[in-house]
Amino acid sequence: MNGGSIELTDVAIEQERPSPVEATALYDSVGWSSYTSDPGILGHALAHSPYVLTARRNQSLIGLLRAVGDGSTILYIQDLLVRPDMQRRSVGTRLIGRCLSDHEDVRQVVLITDHLPELVAFYEALGFSRLDDRSSLAGFYRLA
């Protein structure tokens, strides 16, 4: 899945909440300004999410996964981000793998992402299916 890139073996994946400063820097690094334009909202979102994983290399935050759900029937992976200089090194794959392992009894795992070929390929390689005309499911969203 890493397309020939070097897999990082010295990355620690932990269930923890990063500091607001660390989180803001990570979200900024991937250009998610809708989160960082108000760091207080990002801090609140992280503090109230039931599940947050971090990926650290030499104690530096390089990745994060944030999920919400009820722990039994639904898990929604809200955010998966890896610092650009650490992408394509299995960090995102490891974050998703840990999340799915920690929630193996949850019936439905859902996520929404940008419709970019590399993201579609990434999630399909991890066993996710797209909602489209071939599925018996329909997906909807509403942005405020």
Side-chain angles (χ1 to χ4, degrees), residues 76-111:
Y76 183 91
I77 298 174
Q78 173 61 36
D79 299 335
L80 173 64
L81 55 158
V82 176
R83 209 171 69 196
D85 62 325
M86 295 288 124
Q87 291 176 2
R88 301 198 56 78
R89 298 180 182 196
S90 299
V91 176
T93 299
R94 289 184 56 202
L95 285 164
I96 290 279
R98 167 74 184 272
C99 177
L100 296 176
S101 175
D102 287 351
H103 296 91
E104 65 186 357
D105 293 329
V106 172
R107 186 173 61 90
Q108 187 177 64
V109 179
V110 178
L111 66 88

Side-chain angles (χ1 to χ4, degrees), residues 118-134:
E118 61 272 19
L119 292 176
V120 170
F122 173 75
Y123 288 110
E124 286 180 340
L126 294 173
F128 287 85
S129 300
R130 291 185 284 167
L131 293 176
D132 58 22
D133 293 338
R134 297 172 293 176

Side-chain angles (χ1 to χ4, degrees), residues 18-51:
S19 75
V21 171
E22 288 180 304
T24 300
L26 180 62
Y27 280 75
D28 270 338
S29 78
V30 296
W32 289 9
S33 60
S34 62
Y35 284 87
T36 60
S37 61
D38 187 340
I41 291 175
L42 175 58
H44 184 268
L46 288 168
H48 290 87
S49 295
Y51 187 80

